[in-house]
Amino acid sequence: MVERVKATDAALDLIDRLKNKHGPLLFHQSGGCCDGSSPMCYEEGDLMIGSQDVRLGEIGDTPFYMNKRQFDYWKHTQLIIDVVDGRGGMFSLEGVEGKRFLTRSRAFTDEEYQQLKEAEVKK
């Protein structure tokens, strides 16, 4: 089954390090403002998930969310969470590690998108 969000090995390694340091985590894809459009990593409970947030899946056993309005634009796209050197969002946990999470993306093929739509209907 195709995934809406996945992570590179480097991102998974950093997620594991952050979980060991902070406990359970969650991700929310920022839609702009002060931190641009980047994946933000929080300690579980530090960000309230609301009815307008869509759970895209999990990376490193960590839930990943996006606002529904933003999802409407990105629903044809697979998010690939990577990590690079440097400082990212000031509210995201990885900043003190000298790393930042980065969202790469690719458009789903017609077949993949059809699979996703069929799976959502079955839920």
Side-chain angles (χ1 to χ4, degrees):
M1 180 68 191
V2 66
E3 299 168 293
R4 287 200 175 276
V5 62
K6 65 184 199 173
T8 64
D9 289 341
L12 293 172
D13 288 343
L14 182 54
I15 292 167
D16 282 342
R17 258 195 345 236
L18 293 171
K19 284 195 303 191
N20 287 333
K21 195 178 210 181
H22 300 281
L25 307 171
L26 71 86
F27 278 89
H28 195 282
Q29 177 68 39
S30 173
C33 187
C34 11
D35 286 316
S37 183
S38 60
M40 304 294 288
C41 183
Y42 300 96
E43 288 183 34
E44 189 177 85
D46 279 357
L47 180 72
M48 300 305 294
I49 299 301
S51 62
Q52 290 300 304
D53 292 309
V54 176
R55 185 176 176 145
L56 300 182
E58 291 187 356
I59 55 174
D61 296 321
T62 301
F64 194 102
Y65 297 89
M66 174 184 282
N67 182 273
K68 182 176 179 351
R69 287 178 52 198
Q70 186 178 8
F71 174 73
D72 288 341
Y73 289 105
W74 289 43
K75 65 185 173 188
H76 298 92
T77 307
Q78 182 179 57
L79 304 184
I80 303 148
I81 307 307
D82 201 357
V83 65
V84 295
D85 291 332
R87 297 268 320 185
M90 64 183 153
F91 302 114
S92 194
L93 289 176
E94 79 280 2
V96 298
E97 305 290 325
K99 304 281 185 187
R100 71 181 186 97
F101 289 108
L102 175 75
T103 301
R104 302 182 193 281
S105 62
R106 71 168 186 88
F108 288 119
T109 65
D110 291 340
E111 294 81 18
E112 289 172 328
Y113 189 64
Q114 185 61 38
Q115 285 178 13
L116 287 168
K117 288 190 337 187
E118 289 171 3
E120 289 168 4
V121 168
K122 292 178 183 177
K123 286 184 181 177

